[in-house]
Amino acid sequence: MPPLTLATIKRATEGLAAARSIPLQLTKREALENAGKIARHEIDRKVNGELRRLIVRTFIHALFEVKVEYPERIPQFPAILAPNHLSHFDPLLILAEVPARPFYYILGDSRSLYNKRWKRLLLRLSQDTIPLDRLWKEEVAVMEGAKCDRPDLTELANAIAQNVPTGNSIEALRRLDTIIQDILAAGDGIVIFPEGRLGNREGELRLPFKRGTVIYALRGGVPIVPVAIIGTQDLYLRKQLTLRFGKPLIFPQSKRPKPQEVQTALDTLQAALMDLLPKNYQEPNGLKIGRHFLNHLLW
């Protein structure tokens, strides 16, 4: 949990404003409805995978040097890609390098995805995001602080509790599962960050993993492909970023996974991802042009 600094409180306040945003909520609802309809072939996708890949790849390669290791492990069939998470650029980096087919969706935090008008416009066009709700770590810090030694945060904490959805309701979880299973059954794939939020350091994982990644894979009967993202924790122009794909992890399909099955799959995924991450990452020295701009562009 982050310390209760002014930056933490500011971030929690921004999160509350996003949760109250009517345009954001409308975009989230539309994205959820469209993802399911596209998977069931009830409506057509506005942008096909080839065009999306061309646009994203052009954008990413204009900014960074990208190295892909073990590209032969990139699945050509429905799968869940499970990367570590260091930057809001991570989804774009992956979409720039995976094939156009199967079409990969991104499962991500709704308020990070849709908190700015230009993001909402682009994501409405690409139709490749599945938004979910969750509390931010800064919001949790504010609520905990208000209970302890920061009564000045009580009003903000109460507003967060009343207005910020956690996504843990049975209805929300069932709807999300239905959409994901429809997508996998249709032959497409999903990128899910099992850490559930941004990590703090290169070569490390934020544990414990969220259970959703393996539950969706077990229920859908699709492999999980671990992906190590290296270099995105601190960004600047022309920096080398690395995607290192792991071997597909295949588990027996289970429509109602037992807790032990879920835990075994989680442990296997965690070990596979740790093996892919660098053990002694060293941040390059030298001039870092555009560092502040790129690190905050997608916030």
Side-chain angles (χ1 to χ4, degrees), residues 211-226:
R211 300 166 69 247
T213 305
V214 300
I215 290 175
Y216 298 138
L218 291 171
R219 282 178 45 76
V222 300
I224 302 174
V225 178

Side-chain angles (χ1 to χ4, degrees), residues 5 50 83 129-131 168:
T5 62
E50 288 81 3
T129 54
I130 306 171
N168 292 330

